[in-house]
Amino acid sequence: MLHLADIEKEFGNRLDEIKENKKVSKQHTFVSKEVSDRAHHGKSNIGFSIKYMPYIDKAIEQAKKFPGNEYELVDNIGCNLWKLMEQLKKYPAAPTSCETP
């Protein structure tokens, strides 16, 4: 959801709902429903390269606003995947199968 919404602005007073992530329908939890409504896809065929990849930096910046160490993540909304993403961004892109090295 960090790719798709301004979490603090749109959900600032509803963070407990994100944390609880209760089932809201037969197919969705609170978070999966919000993602589905915003990205217009189900749990498959998500179109990651179009709907999410362009917003990686946005997601990283938002994730940094929330707890990021494994001990805080036990009881809080947060993410530490941004640390990996920042490390990966330091490496040059590998050539694709269509490119010559």
Side-chain angles (χ1 to χ4, degrees):
M1 196 152 70
L2 293 169
H3 299 80
L4 304 169
D6 182 329
I7 303 301
E8 288 182 320
K9 184 177 178 181
E10 296 177 49
F11 295 97
N13 61 344
R14 299 171 67 197
L15 294 178
D16 284 340
E17 288 181 76
I18 293 173
K19 183 178 177 181
E20 291 175 19
N21 200 27
K22 290 183 179 177
K23 193 112 169 126
V24 295
S25 73
K26 193 172 183 179
Q27 294 95 3
H28 290 290
T29 63
F30 177 80
V31 172
S32 71
K33 175 82 168 108
E34 289 293 330
V35 169
S36 180
D37 288 350
R38 292 161 191 274
H40 309 290
H41 65 70
K43 294 182 180 181
S44 62
N45 300 320
I46 65 171
F48 184 84
S49 63
I50 296 168
K51 295 182 179 179
Y52 295 91
M53 194 63 157
Y55 305 103
I56 292 285
D57 290 335
K58 175 184 177 180
I60 288 171
E61 290 310 309
Q62 288 202 83
K64 288 179 177 180
K65 296 175 184 177
F66 294 94
N69 83 42
E70 56 272 14
Y71 300 108
E72 291 177 306
L73 291 174
V74 171
D75 295 317
N76 297 287
I77 296 168
C79 176
N80 60 8
L81 191 56
W82 64 267
K83 296 174 186 180
L84 173 62
M85 293 293 116
E86 286 197 333
Q87 290 298 312
L88 290 173
K89 287 170 63 175
K90 292 178 183 179
Y91 294 93
T96 64
S97 59
C98 297
E99 297 174 359
T100 55

